[in-house]
Amino acid sequence: MKEGSLANMVYAEFRKMILSNQLTRGSRLVESWWAQKLNVSRVAVREALIRLSGESLVEFGEKGGCFVKSITAEDVVEIKELREVLELGALKLLSERYDKEVIAKLEKICEDFSVMVSGGYLSGACEADVKFHEAIMEGSKNARLLHIYKSSNIPLFHFKLGSSQSEMNDYELTDVEHRKIVKALKKKDYETARETLIIHLDRGEKAMLGMVPTGHNAVAG
């Protein structure tokens, strides 16, 4: 396998492990150890870590070494603000273009989310939650908008929030809000979809801030 393909494989593996909390905040990623474990070169591992750094999922220390990035209260506020700008923009584009296939995809994700929650598969529900918002971004049909969204720290924030939700009520509210957004899109009612999404994002921010100490302390992974 070519070096570039190996780097992509390592990147995908690291990303999955970080988002699923198999690699928690502050974990050091030693290039030589991972190269041996994954049976790839250190160059492939290095390229993968640089790519993850660009997505704010890992960070390089001042004295060397690479670590899984933590989330601070400042991160939570900034990421929520960024999500609001990007997702509301995507929602507007989606509502204007009224793509039935995208709306059908959102409905399917809502069903998957409900099945996961009712079965107690909360990690699967969290994944479906993330897919719902990514589907809205993809539905904008704006490649640059989608690129900014995916290259931000939004995926890590979203998975950390989802993994922190232990009360079923949190998931039930998410289900209600998601379905209300889809219903409004089907009716071409952008204002209701917009207002619901804002409420949804505000609720997520408050939940996350309730977990993050002020200052530079981070959420435990």
Side-chain angles (χ1 to χ4, degrees):
M1 189 179 292
K2 293 182 179 180
E3 197 69 53
S5 298
L6 289 173
N8 287 335
M9 182 270 289
V10 176
Y11 159 80
E13 183 66 17
F14 276 148
R15 193 172 192 274
K16 179 182 70 175
M17 294 178 73
I18 291 171
L19 296 180
S20 63
N21 285 317
Q22 293 179 60
L23 288 173
T24 57
R25 59 108 178 172
S27 298
R28 184 171 184 176
L29 303 173
V30 181
E31 291 178 18
S32 58
W33 190 88
W34 282 101
Q36 183 176 5
K37 178 177 176 62
L38 299 175
N39 194 28
V40 297
S41 69
R42 290 186 62 174
V43 173
V45 174
R46 181 73 174 181
E47 288 183 7
L49 293 178
I50 291 173
R51 185 174 173 185
L52 290 164
S53 175
E55 295 182 8
S56 296
L57 295 180
V58 303
E59 57 187 348
F60 290 95
E62 294 181 2
K63 297 182 180 180
C66 185
F67 304 85
V68 176
K69 198 174 185 302
S70 301
I71 292 181
T72 66
E74 290 83 355
D75 289 330
V76 173
V77 173
E78 289 183 359
I79 290 170
K80 183 266 179 177
E81 291 174 345
L82 179 60
R83 288 188 70 188
E84 191 166 283
V85 170
L86 297 179
E87 293 191 37
L88 288 178
L91 189 70
K92 186 173 188 297
L93 292 173
L94 174 56
S95 66
E96 290 173 350
R97 291 163 183 170
Y98 195 74
D99 190 323
K100 291 183 179 180
E101 289 186 6
V102 175
I103 292 175
K105 181 178 181 179
L106 289 170
E107 288 182 313
K108 175 63 168 55
I109 294 172
C110 285
E111 293 302 323
D112 291 343
F113 181 88
S114 295
V115 170
M116 292 295 178
V117 172
S118 62
Y121 303 111
L122 301 187
S123 61
C126 180
E127 184 176 349
D129 186 13
V130 174
K131 286 182 179 179
F132 181 87
H133 292 271
E134 289 186 342
I136 289 177
M137 297 305 303
E138 291 166 359
S140 72
K141 307 297 183 184
N142 188 308
R144 287 180 173 82
L145 191 63
L146 182 61
H147 174 72
I148 293 171
Y149 186 86
K150 288 192 171 182
S151 62
S152 70
N153 206 19
I154 291 171
L156 179 60
F157 167 82
H158 208 162
F159 268 91
K160 292 291 186 184
L161 175 60
S163 66
S164 74
Q165 294 176 322
S166 58
E167 294 184 10
M168 195 60 67
N169 183 53
D170 292 327
Y171 290 94
E172 291 175 351
L173 283 173
T174 295
D175 191 29
V176 169
E177 290 162 354
H178 282 182
R179 290 179 183 276
K180 188 173 181 179
I181 290 169
V182 177
K183 184 178 180 180
L185 287 172
K186 290 181 73 173
K187 290 183 174 182
K188 301 183 180 180
D189 182 1
Y190 168 68
E191 284 306 315
T192 296
R194 176 181 177 278
E195 290 171 5
T196 305
L197 181 56
I198 290 174
I199 291 171
H200 184 63
L201 296 178
D202 283 345
R203 187 168 63 81
E205 179 190 36
K206 289 175 182 176
M208 198 67 172
L209 285 174
M211 299 167 50
V212 184
T214 56
H216 297 286
N217 294 322
V219 179

